[in-house]
Amino acid sequence: MNVTVFGTGYVGLVQAAVLAEAGHRVSCIDIDENKIERLQQGHIPIFEPGLEPLVKRNNESGNLTFSTDAAAGVAHGELIFIAVGTPPDEDGSADLRYVLTVARTIAEHMNGKKYIINKSTVPVGTADKVREEVTRTLHKRDALNLEFDVISNPEFLKEGSAVSDCMRPDRIIIGTSEHASEQKMRQLYAPFNRNHDKVIVMDVRSAELAKYAANCMLATKISFMNEMAVIADRVGADIESVRQGIGSDPRIGYHFIYPGIGYGGSCFPKDVQALKITAAQLGLDPKVLNAVEERNHAQKHYLLDKIVQRYGTDLSGKTFALWGLAFKPNTDDMREAPSRVLMEKLWEMGARVRAFDPEAMHECERIYGNRENLQLCGTRDSALAGADALIIATEWQQFKSLDHNTVRNSLKAPVVFDGRNLYQPLDMAEAGFEYFCVGRPQVAKA
């Protein structure tokens, strides 16, 4: 099938590459000439495991092309994905200007029936706005005889495993009331739907809400577990034992119940906030969502509170090694990352930071530039040199095995603040460390 994807960001590029891999002929359109030129040369703007070879292979085969020519993109695709950004507006609601601009562009150039597919995460009612924008533009062209449908097809990708999630989706939600649209979408996704039927068809508004509801449910599980960790601190319980105890209940399960220092990224914070705004606009008070967001903001200060308890509020002259900058492993994304709150608060209190992350170093440099109180180090071990303590903010695989001797000999004192509970408190104490983690009793060092 001929497919066009407007937007070569995270969602658009992954979806385009995977569809091309399945044999569809996919044209990616973006207004950023530099990004398109780099993609044509095989340079991928984001880090996502497995994406670069997928893009290169399908670009070389001709199944995946990149262009800034919107008219050519509209002419190419019978199915046209809108996969542009929906950043938070000033009030926290999703900004739809880019989505509606693409809708208008499609309507300006279309000369036959088009299936317009909302892939961007958008509030309930966005499909109606896209439909109105297309109709209004066609009216100006005196071309209301041209047929189109607007379909909601939300993505459920996890950064760090997006290619795998897209190749082997656990569900494919199609929001449409038109039989022809459903059939076209089933045909598009047939290569990913062979094992068993993963397609769930519903009305457009339900599909739009399903995306927000999914992300907000996951954010709720994270914030709930983080709140339990805070309670565990006070009552002397071990949150890891609690996690295993409740996770064994099949009604709860083990997914998304790991305590830590808060969620980040481009999805959970933005989507919780956007759904809160939608509820407020409807005259509702989203009590659960408010609590989820409040706990997440507080949790990003969890390790800072422990650092202040250990060293006081004046950290002048102190240096902290920081392992992990990305908001989660297997990505270079630092949007809303807990590491940013940690660093910025440490700097406010006079401390210096020596940081390492396997993928997010360039992103950190882009965000903060050159700072006297930030040193980006080439390896995890070099970040330790001369630091007063180690802070762990991201659970990268390479951080999960700790060389006690190297860490102890590199730090001024054997102190570790672990925001991801990577190690066992007893093991750390026996190795001579002061070990502070999340919701677990501190064991006195040997």
Side-chain angles (χ1 to χ4, degrees), residues 173-184:
I173 291 181
I174 298 170
T176 183
S177 300
E178 298 291 333
H179 179 70
S181 297
E182 177 186 337
Q183 294 307 111
K184 283 289 181 183

Side-chain angles (χ1 to χ4, degrees), residues 222-235:
I222 294 169
S223 282
F224 175 82
M225 206 61 192
N226 284 337
E227 186 130 300
M228 292 304 102
V230 173
I231 293 173
D233 268 343
R234 296 297 178 90
V235 301

Side-chain angles (χ1 to χ4, degrees), residues 322-327 331-335 337 339-344 347 353-371 373-377:
L322 177 63
W323 283 1
L325 294 166
F327 84 95
T331 181
D332 59 356
D333 194 344
M334 287 183 64
R335 285 174 288 186
S339 65
R340 297 179 65 171
V341 175
L342 276 165
M343 286 193 293
E344 289 165 15
W347 293 333
V353 174
R354 295 173 56 85
F356 169 74
D357 186 283
E359 293 296 337
M361 304 288 271
H362 291 301
E363 179 65 5
C364 186
E365 188 174 27
R366 184 192 68 80
I367 294 169
Y368 293 111
N370 294 321
R371 298 179 60 105
N373 49 13
L374 172 63
Q375 183 175 354
L376 298 176
C377 302

Side-chain angles (χ1 to χ4, degrees), residues 115-119 149-153 174-176 181 185 204:
Y115 297 90
I116 302 170
I117 306 159
N118 270 341
K119 198 71 178 176
D149 190 26
V150 180
I151 302 162
S152 176
N153 177 220
I174 298 170
T176 183
S181 297
M185 296 297 287
V204 171

Side-chain angles (χ1 to χ4, degrees), residues 53-109:
L54 202 64
V55 170
K56 287 183 176 179
R57 181 167 64 248
N58 285 283
N59 185 228
E60 290 170 359
S61 73
N63 271 2
L64 181 62
T65 60
F66 301 98
S67 175
T68 58
D69 189 341
V74 173
H76 169 82
E78 182 183 15
L79 293 89
I80 303 178
F81 281 89
I82 301 177
V84 294
T86 53
D89 214 335
E90 290 183 5
D91 64 354
S93 61
D95 185 345
L96 297 178
R97 75 179 78 175
Y98 306 114
V99 169
L100 297 179
T101 295
V102 173
R104 187 162 55 251
T105 299
I106 295 169
E108 286 170 349
H109 298 293

